[in-house]
Amino acid sequence: MVNNLGKRKIVVFTGAGISAESGLRTFRDGDGLWESYSIHELATKDAFERNPKLVLSFYNQRKVAAKNAQPNKAHIALAELEDVYDVVIITQNVDDLHERAGSSKVIHLHGQLNRAQSSIEPSITYDWDKRIEIGQYCELNSQLRPNIVWFGEPVMHLEEAREHIKSAYKVLGVGSSLSVQPAASLLNKAPFRAEKTLVSLEIKGKIPFSYKFMRGKATNVVPVICKNWRKLEVNSKCT
Ligand code: NAD
Protein backbone atom coordinates (compact mmCIF):
# COMPACT_ATOMS: atom_id res chain seq x y z
CA MET A 1 0.00 0.00 0.00
CA VAL A 2 2.99 2.34 0.53
CA ASN A 3 5.67 2.76 -2.15
CA ASN A 4 9.40 3.29 -1.54
CA LEU A 5 8.84 7.06 -1.36
CA GLY A 6 6.39 6.52 1.51
CA LYS A 7 3.38 7.39 -0.64
CA ARG A 8 0.09 5.51 -0.26
CA LYS A 9 -1.44 3.99 -3.37
CA ILE A 10 -4.55 5.38 -5.01
CA VAL A 11 -5.94 3.39 -7.92
CA VAL A 12 -8.15 5.27 -10.35
CA PHE A 13 -10.27 3.30 -12.81
CA THR A 14 -11.46 5.44 -15.70
CA GLY A 15 -13.83 5.09 -18.65
CA ALA A 16 -15.00 7.13 -21.59
CA GLY A 17 -16.98 9.53 -19.32
CA ILE A 18 -13.81 11.20 -18.03
CA SER A 19 -12.92 12.27 -21.56
CA ALA A 20 -16.47 13.31 -22.52
CA GLU A 21 -15.90 16.88 -21.34
CA SER A 22 -12.76 17.02 -23.47
CA GLY A 23 -15.10 16.53 -26.44
CA LEU A 24 -14.60 12.77 -27.02
CA ARG A 25 -17.83 10.86 -27.37
CA THR A 26 -18.56 7.94 -25.04
CA PHE A 27 -19.85 4.62 -26.36
CA ARG A 28 -23.10 4.05 -24.56
CA ASP A 29 -24.71 7.38 -23.68
CA GLY A 30 -27.67 8.69 -25.73
CA ASP A 31 -25.26 10.40 -28.15
CA GLY A 32 -22.61 7.67 -27.79
CA LEU A 33 -20.64 6.24 -30.70
CA TRP A 34 -22.48 2.91 -30.66
CA GLU A 35 -25.75 4.80 -31.27
CA SER A 36 -24.36 5.95 -34.64
CA TYR A 37 -22.12 3.01 -35.63
CA SER A 38 -22.35 -0.76 -35.45
CA ILE A 39 -20.00 -2.67 -33.17
CA HIS A 40 -20.16 -5.63 -35.59
CA GLU A 41 -19.01 -3.55 -38.54
CA LEU A 42 -16.21 -1.73 -36.71
CA ALA A 43 -14.96 -3.32 -33.53
CA THR A 44 -14.31 -7.00 -34.17
CA LYS A 45 -11.52 -8.93 -35.87
CA ASP A 46 -14.05 -10.29 -38.38
CA ALA A 47 -15.10 -6.76 -39.28
CA PHE A 48 -11.46 -5.86 -39.98
CA GLU A 49 -11.01 -8.93 -42.16
CA ARG A 50 -14.25 -8.19 -44.07
CA ASN A 51 -13.73 -4.46 -44.57
CA PRO A 52 -10.34 -3.20 -43.37
CA LYS A 53 -10.76 0.13 -45.15
CA LEU A 54 -13.94 0.99 -43.21
CA VAL A 55 -12.46 -0.08 -39.87
CA LEU A 56 -9.21 1.86 -40.43
CA SER A 57 -11.17 4.93 -41.48
CA PHE A 58 -13.25 4.80 -38.26
CA TYR A 59 -10.16 4.50 -36.02
CA ASN A 60 -8.21 7.10 -38.02
CA GLN A 61 -11.08 9.53 -37.29
CA ARG A 62 -11.01 8.59 -33.59
CA LYS A 63 -7.24 9.20 -33.58
CA VAL A 64 -7.64 12.72 -35.02
CA ALA A 65 -10.40 13.52 -32.50
CA ALA A 66 -8.22 12.31 -29.60
CA LYS A 67 -5.21 14.26 -30.85
CA ASN A 68 -7.25 17.47 -31.05
CA ALA A 69 -8.79 17.02 -27.59
CA GLN A 70 -7.19 18.50 -24.48
CA PRO A 71 -7.04 17.02 -20.97
CA ASN A 72 -9.76 18.47 -18.75
CA LYS A 73 -9.86 19.45 -15.06
CA ALA A 74 -10.50 15.86 -13.97
CA HIS A 75 -7.46 14.46 -15.83
CA ILE A 76 -5.33 17.30 -14.44
CA ALA A 77 -6.51 16.90 -10.82
CA LEU A 78 -5.63 13.19 -10.94
CA ALA A 79 -2.18 13.94 -12.33
CA GLU A 80 -1.55 16.54 -9.61
CA LEU A 81 -2.45 14.02 -6.92
CA GLU A 82 0.90 12.33 -7.62
CA ASP A 83 2.56 15.01 -5.44
CA VAL A 84 1.24 13.24 -2.36
CA TYR A 85 0.09 9.76 -3.44
CA ASP A 86 1.34 6.89 -5.56
CA VAL A 87 -1.38 7.17 -8.24
CA VAL A 88 -1.99 4.32 -10.67
CA ILE A 89 -4.51 4.98 -13.43
CA ILE A 90 -6.18 1.92 -14.93
CA THR A 91 -8.07 3.13 -17.95
CA GLN A 92 -10.44 1.62 -20.48
CA ASN A 93 -9.82 4.67 -22.62
CA VAL A 94 -7.81 4.55 -25.79
CA ASP A 95 -6.97 8.28 -25.81
CA ASP A 96 -3.79 9.63 -24.17
CA LEU A 97 -5.37 12.44 -22.12
CA HIS A 98 -4.14 11.03 -18.78
CA GLU A 99 -0.55 10.99 -20.04
CA ARG A 100 -0.88 14.46 -21.52
CA ALA A 101 -2.27 15.76 -18.21
CA GLY A 102 0.92 14.48 -16.55
CA SER A 103 -0.02 11.12 -15.04
CA SER A 104 3.05 8.89 -14.96
CA LYS A 105 1.54 5.45 -14.33
CA VAL A 106 -1.22 4.68 -16.82
CA ILE A 107 -2.33 1.16 -17.70
CA HIS A 108 -4.41 0.91 -20.88
CA LEU A 109 -6.67 -2.13 -20.71
CA HIS A 110 -8.18 -1.66 -24.17
CA GLY A 111 -5.21 -0.37 -26.16
CA GLN A 112 -4.13 3.03 -27.46
CA LEU A 113 -5.18 5.00 -30.53
CA ASN A 114 -1.66 6.38 -30.97
CA ARG A 115 -0.16 2.91 -31.51
CA ALA A 116 -0.41 0.40 -34.35
CA GLN A 117 -0.30 -3.37 -34.04
CA SER A 118 0.57 -6.34 -36.22
CA SER A 119 -2.59 -8.11 -37.35
CA ILE A 120 -1.01 -11.54 -36.84
CA GLU A 121 1.08 -10.97 -33.69
CA PRO A 122 -0.59 -8.69 -31.09
CA SER A 123 2.61 -8.31 -29.06
CA ILE A 124 4.21 -6.40 -31.96
CA THR A 125 3.14 -2.77 -31.61
CA TYR A 126 4.54 0.57 -32.76
CA ASP A 127 4.22 4.23 -31.79
CA TRP A 128 1.96 5.40 -34.61
CA ASP A 129 0.89 8.99 -34.46
CA LYS A 130 -0.29 9.14 -38.08
CA ARG A 131 -3.12 7.41 -39.95
CA ILE A 132 -2.91 3.65 -40.49
CA GLU A 133 -3.34 2.91 -44.21
CA ILE A 134 -3.97 -0.24 -46.23
CA GLY A 135 -0.60 -1.56 -47.41
CA GLN A 136 1.36 -0.57 -44.27
CA TYR A 137 2.93 -3.72 -42.87
CA CYS A 138 4.49 -4.89 -39.61
CA GLU A 139 7.91 -6.56 -39.56
CA LEU A 140 6.21 -9.93 -40.18
CA ASN A 141 4.71 -8.51 -43.40
CA SER A 142 1.13 -8.40 -42.21
CA GLN A 143 -1.21 -5.42 -42.46
CA LEU A 144 -1.05 -2.99 -39.53
CA ARG A 145 -4.23 -2.57 -37.48
CA PRO A 146 -5.19 -0.28 -34.59
CA ASN A 147 -3.77 -1.24 -31.18
CA ILE A 148 -7.32 -1.59 -29.88
CA VAL A 149 -8.86 -4.51 -28.01
CA TRP A 150 -11.85 -5.46 -30.12
CA PHE A 151 -14.87 -7.41 -28.87
CA GLY A 152 -13.86 -11.01 -28.26
CA GLU A 153 -10.14 -10.21 -27.79
CA PRO A 154 -8.27 -10.49 -24.48
CA VAL A 155 -7.90 -7.37 -22.35
CA MET A 156 -4.32 -6.11 -21.97
CA HIS A 157 -2.37 -5.94 -18.66
CA LEU A 158 -5.28 -7.43 -16.69
CA GLU A 159 -3.10 -9.23 -14.12
CA GLU A 160 -0.95 -6.13 -13.47
CA ALA A 161 -4.12 -4.04 -13.03
CA ARG A 162 -5.59 -6.59 -10.63
CA GLU A 163 -2.46 -6.58 -8.46
CA HIS A 164 -2.55 -2.77 -8.22
CA ILE A 165 -6.19 -2.63 -7.23
CA LYS A 166 -5.71 -5.38 -4.63
CA SER A 167 -3.09 -3.24 -2.88
CA ALA A 168 -4.89 0.10 -3.09
CA TYR A 169 -5.41 2.40 -0.12
CA LYS A 170 -8.22 4.21 -1.93
CA VAL A 171 -10.02 3.41 -5.20
CA LEU A 172 -11.77 5.93 -7.41
CA GLY A 173 -13.83 4.96 -10.46
CA VAL A 174 -14.65 7.74 -12.93
CA GLY A 175 -16.88 7.88 -16.02
CA SER A 176 -17.56 4.24 -16.71
CA SER A 177 -20.90 2.55 -17.27
CA LEU A 178 -19.26 -0.61 -15.81
CA SER A 179 -20.79 -2.61 -18.63
CA VAL A 180 -17.61 -3.90 -20.30
CA GLN A 181 -16.15 -7.07 -18.78
CA PRO A 182 -13.71 -8.20 -17.54
CA ALA A 183 -12.52 -4.60 -16.98
CA ALA A 184 -15.45 -3.53 -14.79
CA SER A 185 -15.13 -6.46 -12.40
CA LEU A 186 -11.63 -5.28 -11.44
CA LEU A 187 -13.37 -2.88 -9.03
CA ASN A 188 -14.48 -5.88 -6.97
CA LYS A 189 -10.84 -6.72 -6.25
CA ALA A 190 -10.32 -3.64 -4.07
CA PRO A 191 -9.45 -4.37 -0.42
CA PHE A 192 -12.41 -4.41 1.95
CA ARG A 193 -10.89 -1.60 4.04
CA ALA A 194 -10.03 0.70 1.12
CA GLU A 195 -12.15 3.81 0.68
CA LYS A 196 -14.02 3.28 -2.59
CA THR A 197 -15.81 5.94 -4.62
CA LEU A 198 -17.49 5.98 -8.03
CA VAL A 199 -18.18 9.14 -10.03
CA SER A 200 -20.39 8.98 -13.10
CA LEU A 201 -23.56 10.39 -14.59
CA GLU A 202 -25.04 6.91 -14.42
CA ILE A 203 -24.06 3.30 -13.91
CA LYS A 204 -25.62 0.43 -15.86
CA GLY A 205 -26.62 -2.22 -13.34
CA LYS A 206 -25.48 -2.52 -9.75
CA ILE A 207 -22.99 -0.32 -7.93
CA PRO A 208 -20.18 -2.66 -6.78
CA PHE A 209 -20.25 -3.64 -3.11
CA SER A 210 -19.08 -0.98 -0.61
CA TYR A 211 -18.56 1.78 -3.20
CA LYS A 212 -19.95 5.25 -2.52
CA PHE A 213 -21.65 6.55 -5.69
CA MET A 214 -21.35 10.26 -6.46
CA ARG A 215 -23.49 11.21 -9.44
CA GLY A 216 -22.02 14.13 -11.36
CA LYS A 217 -19.73 15.37 -14.07
CA ALA A 218 -16.12 14.34 -13.77
CA THR A 219 -14.80 17.91 -14.02
CA ASN A 220 -17.05 19.04 -11.17
CA VAL A 221 -16.59 16.13 -8.77
CA VAL A 222 -13.07 14.74 -9.31
CA PRO A 223 -11.14 17.97 -8.50
CA VAL A 224 -13.09 18.29 -5.22
CA ILE A 225 -12.34 14.69 -4.22
CA CYS A 226 -8.65 15.15 -5.11
CA LYS A 227 -8.44 18.38 -3.11
CA ASN A 228 -9.92 16.68 -0.02
CA TRP A 229 -7.70 13.61 -0.34
CA ARG A 230 -4.61 15.78 -0.75
CA LYS A 231 -5.53 17.80 2.36
CA LEU A 232 -6.11 14.63 4.40
CA GLU A 233 -2.76 13.18 3.39
CA VAL A 234 -0.81 16.38 4.02
CA ASN A 235 -2.47 16.80 7.43
CA SER A 236 -1.81 13.18 8.39
CA LYS A 237 1.92 13.71 7.72
CA CYS A 238 1.98 16.94 9.83
CA THR A 239 0.42 15.43 12.94
P1 NAD B 1 -19.36 3.91 -21.68
O1 NAD B 1 -19.59 4.70 -22.91
O2 NAD B 1 -19.96 2.54 -21.58
O3 NAD B 1 -19.89 4.72 -20.41
C1 NAD B 1 -19.53 6.05 -20.17
C2 NAD B 1 -20.00 6.42 -18.79
O4 NAD B 1 -19.55 7.72 -18.50
C3 NAD B 1 -21.53 6.41 -18.63
O5 NAD B 1 -21.86 5.72 -17.45
C4 NAD B 1 -21.89 7.89 -18.49
O6 NAD B 1 -22.99 8.10 -17.63
C5 NAD B 1 -20.63 8.46 -17.91
N1 NAD B 1 -20.39 9.87 -18.26
C6 NAD B 1 -20.68 10.52 -19.42
N2 NAD B 1 -20.26 11.81 -19.35
C7 NAD B 1 -19.70 11.96 -18.12
C8 NAD B 1 -19.09 13.05 -17.44
N3 NAD B 1 -18.98 14.25 -18.01
N4 NAD B 1 -18.63 12.85 -16.19
C9 NAD B 1 -18.75 11.63 -15.57
N5 NAD B 1 -19.33 10.57 -16.16
C10 NAD B 1 -19.80 10.72 -17.42
O7 NAD B 1 -17.79 3.87 -21.44
P2 NAD B 1 -16.90 2.83 -20.69
O8 NAD B 1 -17.53 2.33 -19.45
O9 NAD B 1 -15.52 3.40 -20.67
O10 NAD B 1 -16.98 1.64 -21.76
C11 NAD B 1 -15.94 1.07 -22.10
C12 NAD B 1 -15.46 1.29 -23.58
O11 NAD B 1 -15.53 2.57 -24.16
C13 NAD B 1 -14.02 1.02 -23.50
O12 NAD B 1 -13.78 -0.16 -24.20
C14 NAD B 1 -13.29 2.19 -24.14
O13 NAD B 1 -12.21 1.69 -24.90
C15 NAD B 1 -14.32 2.80 -24.96
N6 NAD B 1 -14.23 4.24 -25.32
C16 NAD B 1 -13.14 5.01 -25.06
C17 NAD B 1 -13.13 6.37 -25.40
C18 NAD B 1 -11.89 7.18 -25.12
O14 NAD B 1 -10.79 6.66 -25.10
N7 NAD B 1 -12.04 8.49 -24.87
C19 NAD B 1 -14.23 6.95 -26.00
C20 NAD B 1 -15.34 6.12 -26.27
C21 NAD B 1 -15.33 4.78 -25.91
Side-chain angles (χ1 to χ4, degrees), residues 14-35:
T14 63
I18 195 170
S19 297
E21 292 168 84
S22 292
L24 299 179
R25 288 166 75 186
T26 62
F27 273 175
R28 291 178 186 76
D29 289 308
D31 63 345
L33 287 165
W34 295 146
E35 294 295 314

Side-chain angles (χ1 to χ4, degrees), residues 15-16 21 25 27-29 92 94-95 110 175-177 202 218:
E21 292 168 84
R25 288 166 75 186
F27 273 175
R28 291 178 186 76
D29 289 308
Q92 299 171 92
V94 292
D95 64 52
H110 292 160
S176 176
S177 61
E202 61 170 311

Side-chain angles (χ1 to χ4, degrees), residues 1-2 8-11 161-170 189-191 194:
M1 278 203 192
V2 179
R8 290 196 265 211
K9 186 187 283 184
I10 290 190
V11 171
R162 197 178 284 133
E163 288 308 311
H164 279 299
I165 210 156
K166 276 163 75 178
S167 60
Y169 166 61
K170 294 177 194 283
K189 301 289 174 196

Side-chain angles (χ1 to χ4, degrees), residues 10 55 58 69 73-75 96 106 120 136 143 187 193 197 202 214 234:
I10 290 190
V55 174
F58 175 76
K73 285 183 191 166
H75 297 106
D96 61 350
V106 185
I120 55 171
Q136 290 175 328
Q143 172 63 43
L187 290 177
R193 284 198 198 156
T197 311
E202 61 170 311
M214 297 177 74
V234 170

